[in-house]
Amino acid sequence: MIQQKKYSPVSIPASSAGWMLPLLFLIFLSSGLNTAFGQDQKVVRIGIFTDCQYCNCNTDGNRHYRLSLSKLDSCIHEFNAQPLDGIFHLGDMIDHDYRSYDSVLPRFRKFTAPLHLVLGNHDYMIKKKVKPGLLDHIGMKEDHYVVDLADWRFIVLNGDDLSFSAPQDREHKNERYDMVNDLYSQLEFNALPWNGGIGKAQMGWLEKQLDASREAKKKVIILCHFPLFTKVNHNLFNNKEVFALISKYECVKAYFNGHYHSGDYMVMNGIHLVNFKGMVDTEKNAYAVVTLTAGSILIKGYGREPDRILKIK
Ligand SMILES: [Zn+2]
């Protein structure tokens, strides 16, 4: 299990009681009291936010870059007031400037629950010479990894594996070249500069993780910056290949991503594909607390993020 280096353990503040009541009602509605509170079923609760994408830049269209700091402060305040088992940021911490990390990283260290990062394309929108040291700078030990929380396993993918923005060795560059060529020849147009893909080695790793999860009877959520099937051209290069693999596994319950700031949701082959809304867009915040019960994924949205009650297969 890999996570950021410097974060302190989960705390359970007393102030969470007021927030708990509506959520408990949601759990009751969607799962039934016995299922949700069965003797060996631990409810897992995680915070999700994505595309904080801060930079000290003027607003551009919907992107209110400077506002991301105050939105992040609100998110930290809310998450720290709740008993969370973990927090995931789904990629694009910053935009444009390496110095943007100086404002974001100290804030990220304020989360009291363990914070896990997912790499996005904008995280690499920095000068070429600092790209190789990025993981160390932001406190990631590995670019793809697994986190276990009770019965749930979170498999974090690195969609920058084959992106145009991250540094790559010759093998990965060749792989990307072939993948992009194949996509264009098939009139698939998601091989765009702002998207990314999963390389062969990581696909093999993913399959091993899925086999092990099935064996261990874990319920799995895949997390990646890039969507699989949004309506716009923001999808992972090899979205179909990844979906074909994860669809083979009954244990995969959901795929969480960011990148497409407007957000999206669909269910395919019983897998919930949830695209969380980007924090940087509009003047209104967006983040979520996700409660995982034996039979449901309950999303309590804040700001622009909607509430969702998702039954799992
Ligand atoms: Zn992105």
Side-chain angles (χ1 to χ4, degrees):
M1 178 171 68
I2 305 302
Q3 64 190 51
Q4 292 245 143
K5 294 168 184 170
K6 303 158 192 163
Y7 301 102
S8 51
V10 180
S11 70
I12 304 180
S15 61
S16 61
W19 176 85
M20 285 285 288
L21 287 174
L23 184 67
L24 292 180
F25 180 64
L26 280 180
I27 292 171
F28 175 79
L29 275 182
S30 62
S31 303
L33 208 51
N34 290 336
T35 310
F37 295 101
Q39 287 185 340
D40 55 353
Q41 298 291 343
K42 182 189 181 309
V43 171
V44 170
R45 189 174 292 115
I46 56 169
I48 297 272
F49 69 117
T50 187
D51 299 84
C52 168
Q53 217 165 317
Y54 167 73
C55 68
N56 187 13
C57 314
N58 293 331
T59 299
D60 183 7
N62 256 350
R63 296 181 182 183
H64 294 251
Y65 295 110
R66 290 195 182 95
L67 275 186
S68 278
L69 292 185
S70 57
K71 289 176 182 169
L72 186 52
D73 288 339
S74 301
C75 175
I76 292 165
H77 182 77
E78 186 61 47
F79 282 179
N80 285 354
Q82 297 189 32
L84 299 179
D85 299 300
I87 297 167
F88 292 88
H89 180 255
L90 301 182
D92 287 357
M93 295 163 70
I94 59 120
D95 210 331
H96 293 312
D97 190 342
Y98 194 61
R99 285 173 300 182
S100 304
Y101 284 114
D102 295 343
S103 301
V104 172
L105 288 171
R107 285 176 165 81
F108 273 30
R109 291 185 191 109
K110 290 182 182 172
F111 287 112
T112 49
L115 174 66
H116 310 283
L117 300 177
V118 180
L119 286 169
N121 52 315
H122 282 277
D123 295 320
Y124 278 105
M125 297 275 175
I126 51 181
K127 284 187 178 160
K128 196 175 174 183
K129 66 178 181 185
V130 287
K131 288 187 182 190
L134 180 67
L135 262 61
D136 271 351
H137 189 59
I138 61 179
M140 286 182 83
K141 289 179 185 167
E142 290 182 64
D143 57 29
H144 55 285
Y145 55 92
V146 166
V147 176
D148 277 346
L149 295 172
D151 294 337
W152 291 82
R153 177 162 292 171
F154 301 85
I155 301 179
V156 174
L157 300 179
N158 174 21
D160 275 323
D161 206 16
L162 300 182
S163 77
F164 291 97
S165 45
Q168 272 137 14
D169 58 21
R170 183 177 296 275
E171 191 184 330
H172 281 80
K173 275 183 188 161
N174 289 340
E175 228 184 288
R176 186 185 66 208
Y177 181 83
D178 290 344
M179 193 179 282
V180 169
N181 261 349
D182 286 350
L183 285 167
Y184 276 106
S185 69
Q186 293 157 33
L187 300 179
E188 297 278 355
F189 299 111
N190 53 325
L192 293 162
W194 54 84
N195 295 334
I198 308 292
K200 284 176 191 157
Q202 196 181 162
M203 284 295 289
W205 174 87
L206 173 59
E207 189 166 11
K208 277 189 185 146
Q209 297 307 319
L210 292 169
D211 285 340
S213 303
R214 181 163 58 191
E215 185 75 17
K217 298 192 172 10
K218 295 283 186 185
K219 293 188 279 283
V220 172
I221 294 179
I222 314 272
L223 302 99
C224 182
H225 181 61
F226 302 95
L228 291 178
F229 299 111
T230 55
K231 302 168 201 80
V232 293
N233 285 332
H234 274 56
N235 295 325
L236 201 64
F237 296 162
N238 48 343
N239 55 345
K240 291 178 184 169
E241 186 191 0
V242 170
F243 187 69
L245 175 62
I246 68 175
S247 288
K248 287 194 225 162
Y249 292 84
E250 183 72 17
C251 58
V252 177
K253 308 303 180 190
Y255 179 103
F256 289 174
N257 63 271
H259 191 47
Y260 176 48
H261 295 178
S262 299
D264 205 356
Y265 166 77
M266 63 191 77
V267 58
M268 289 175 66
N269 294 1
I271 301 175
H272 298 285
L273 309 179
V274 186
N275 185 143
F276 289 87
K277 291 177 188 282
M279 186 176 266
V280 71
D281 268 24
T282 82
E283 294 181 13
K284 206 170 170 185
N285 215 342
Y287 56 91
V289 170
V290 179
T291 301
L292 305 167
T293 73
S296 303
I297 296 171
L298 308 169
I299 300 177
K300 175 173 173 47
Y302 291 79
R304 289 154 40 238
E305 189 64 45
D307 293 342
R308 300 183 197 276
I309 299 175
L310 311 174
K311 300 287 286 181
I312 61 175
K313 63 183 175 182

